Amino acid sequence: MTSLPTLCSFLCCSALLAACSKPGPTAVGPDSAVSVPTATAPAASPTSAPTPDAKAPEKPAAYDVNTKSITAKSGTHFVLLLPATISTPMKWRMQPPPDAAVLTLAGESYTEAPPTDCAGCTGYPGTKQFEFEAHAAGKQTLHLAYGSLTDPKAKPEKELSIDVTVE
């Protein structure tokens, strides 16, 4: 004699196999929330191809340690690329920070640049990148100093001032 749970399992599996083996689409009633794509209305693609008129985002203007002034349009970004060596106890500091109504620091990063012929070298120079976003018309002077990592009041090794005009 077969137990009731075994019989129920057998019947459920049989019904499932029978339903899965039927060819063709299942009819959907008008009150159903499911939409079935037809030959005249193909399903939408999850991603669309870019249009020929679409442009890649513009790369922000880049400036270096020799820059004395920058003019930027409101709503744009620009970057300041400064020489640095992360393996030394030195760091770039910006004092004071810019007026946030005119200009904000959007991010900082460091890029290493080891010599190609020196695997595993340490102490080589790299680039410290400061990314700024221009907000509203105004003028700012960025003061940057490259000095001691541990003693911010020590005399800096390098100093830099850049006048920024946001239009």
Side-chain angles (χ1 to χ4, degrees), residues 80-93:
L80 185 54
L81 305 171
L82 303 174
T85 304
I86 201 166
S87 63
T88 64
M90 306 292 276
K91 145 182 194 171
W92 280 104
R93 286 190 173 82

Side-chain angles (χ1 to χ4, degrees), residues 120-142:
C121 288
T122 59
Y124 46 82
T127 303
K128 176 71 174 186
Q129 176 176 309
F130 292 93
E131 182 177 352
F132 293 93
E133 183 175 356
H135 294 291
K139 293 183 184 248
Q140 290 281 274
T141 299
L142 299 176

